[in-house]
Each structure stands twice: as C-alpha cells, then as structure tokens.
Amino acid sequence: MEHTAYDYEKEIPAGFYDRVYRQGAGIRFCWHDLKFRTVATRLGTPGRLLDIGCGPGTFIGNYLPGIEALGLDISAAQIDYATRTYGSTTHRFSTRPLASLSEAGERYDAVTMVELIEHLTPDAAIRLLSEARALLAPGGLLVVTTPNYRSLWPLIELGVNAASPVNYVDQHINKYRRSLLGEHLAAAGYRDVSIETAVGLAPFAAVFGLGAANALNALETHVRHLGAGNLLLATARP
C-alpha cells in the first residue's frame, strides 16, 4: 500500500468506523454489516487470510471466527486500535508493507480489500492488486469491494459528505464501474474474474429496524440487485 495526498493518519480518528459499526443499529451500521457479511460469504473458510486496508479491524474481528487472519493498514493509529480491540493469537494487525510479506515467503488462501482501491490512483491500484496476487497461494481467492459509480452511490456519497465528519471528496479518487474494475484486475494478472454488485437499498430500510433491512437485502440479493447495487464485488484467482 502507498500513501496518497489524503492524510489517513490524521484525518480519520482511530476506530471511527468501528464505533459506527458498534452502534448495532441504523443505516450506517447496516451498510457495514451487509457489506462484511457478503464478503465473508464469498470467502468460505480459508485457512489463512490477509485483509489489506483493514482499518480498525472490524471485518476480521467480527466476521472471521476461527480463521487465521492478518490485517494491514497504513495508519498506525488504526492498527493500534485494531490490536487493542480485536487482536488475538489468530487475529493480528500490522503496518508492515506487502513487500516484507512477499520477501518472507508468506502465502495466503484468501486476500480481501474492502473499499480500498478507490482511494488509490489507477496505477497504484493495479500495482497493489498485483502485489496481492503474488501473496496468494495457488488456487487462492481475491475478494474486492469498491463503490459502484454506475449506481446511486454518487448521490449517497454526497449525503454522507454532508452528514459525516469524514468527507470522501478527497479520498475517492478512483471512481470504478464494472468495466474499469475488470480492466484493472486483468492488468494485475488475475484470472477467473467475476464481478457483481452488492448492497442496494437495504441499509436505508434500517430506519424501520434491522428485520426490515435484512428482508429487503434478501430480496435484492435474490434478484442480484438488478445489477445496480451500490458496491462492486469482484472475486478472482491468481
């Protein structure tokens, strides 16, 4: 991973997104929960997992029981929070660079990048995807999510920017659509690429309770979000 012009160490308080998640209710919690549940479903039960851009560790800490997982992030403050909150003998967090893992001969059955690559320039995103591919064991699985800019996401982003202390204008510099994500994965050397959409309107039904949100999500998932979910979700093999 590499730093961009946005200062992730200073601009996002340590544990910010995890505290949103720990509210356990509401639209923002539901968004994260549905996203993480969808990624976990695609993973199955890998023996070893690497989560790149893990932030405060919410995904590893709450959705990967019994799985050996390492979370990486460029923010030392987020990693410190993740270690204190979710660290265990099987769940570890670090700021170490990907290159050091490769040099040590580390390999993982699965690599995840949950809403990360939109924060990078196209060249940096392709480079990161390529570095992640080198860390996958033969037959391993990459799972990537990123906002779908051919959905309602641009409007949602405007609303979040207006209501949240964390603004995405300077963060989201790589605006993906399905074709562009496919191009970047191909350029990074992946095969068996599959791209779908996820997380539609269900989080907004959380104003009526999590039961309503989950019911709408089940319906939207059944019809594959009509291809217009607010996130792109890609799986690929090295």
Side-chain angles (χ1 to χ4, degrees):
M1 292 176 293
E2 66 181 59
H3 291 267
T4 64
Y6 188 86
D7 191 339
Y8 289 93
E9 192 72 72
K10 296 180 179 179
E11 298 294 336
I12 301 178
F16 174 82
Y17 291 109
D18 191 62
R19 284 189 286 273
V20 168
Y21 173 84
R22 283 171 170 258
Q23 294 173 2
I27 293 173
R28 293 193 300 172
F29 161 78
C30 191
W31 177 279
H32 293 297
D33 178 53
L34 292 179
K35 169 184 66 181
F36 289 141
R37 276 198 278 150
T38 301
V39 172
T41 298
R42 298 302 184 278
L43 287 171
T45 55
R48 301 186 76 209
L49 178 139
L50 176 65
D51 184 29
I52 304 174
C54 67
T58 308
F59 176 55
I60 288 177
N62 293 280
Y63 295 86
L64 301 178
I67 294 175
E68 181 184 344
L70 172 63
L72 298 184
D73 203 275
I74 61 174
S75 170
Q78 301 297 343
I79 289 299
D80 179 66
Y81 176 94
T83 300
R84 287 185 286 105
T85 307
Y86 295 116
S88 69
T89 55
T90 56
H91 291 169
R92 298 175 296 117
F93 303 92
S94 175
T95 58
R96 66 186 293 187
L98 288 183
S100 71
L101 295 177
S102 182
E103 291 167 1
E106 297 286 353
R107 293 295 181 271
Y108 298 88
D109 302 301
V111 172
T112 52
M113 298 183 195
V114 181
E115 292 184 46
L116 169 64
I117 56 176
E118 66 272 13
H119 298 266
L120 306 175
T121 65
D123 287 345
I126 294 170
R127 186 161 55 251
L128 178 62
L129 290 166
S130 180
E131 291 174 350
R133 183 174 60 83
L135 288 166
L136 279 166
L141 181 68
L142 173 78
V143 181
V144 174
T145 71
T146 189
N148 177 16
Y149 281 86
R150 291 287 176 84
S151 70
L152 293 175
W153 173 259
L155 294 178
I156 294 171
E157 189 173 279
L158 287 174
V160 172
N161 287 343
S164 172
V166 175
N167 192 288
Y168 294 100
V169 171
D170 295 326
Q171 293 189 56
H172 291 180
I173 59 178
N174 199 357
K175 302 183 187 304
Y176 279 98
R177 54 195 185 279
R178 190 189 298 258
S179 60
L180 182 61
L181 180 55
E183 290 170 9
H184 283 191
L185 288 165
Y190 287 91
R191 60 181 180 82
D192 297 338
V193 174
S194 175
I195 302 174
E196 59 188 288
T197 67
V199 188
L201 297 176
F204 302 98
V207 296
F208 303 107
L210 293 181
N214 286 326
L216 180 55
N217 180 65
L219 175 61
E220 290 184 309
T221 300
H222 179 70
V223 298
R224 298 179 179 272
H225 301 88
L226 300 178
N230 294 305
L231 291 181
L232 294 171
L233 186 148
T235 59
R237 302 285 180 181

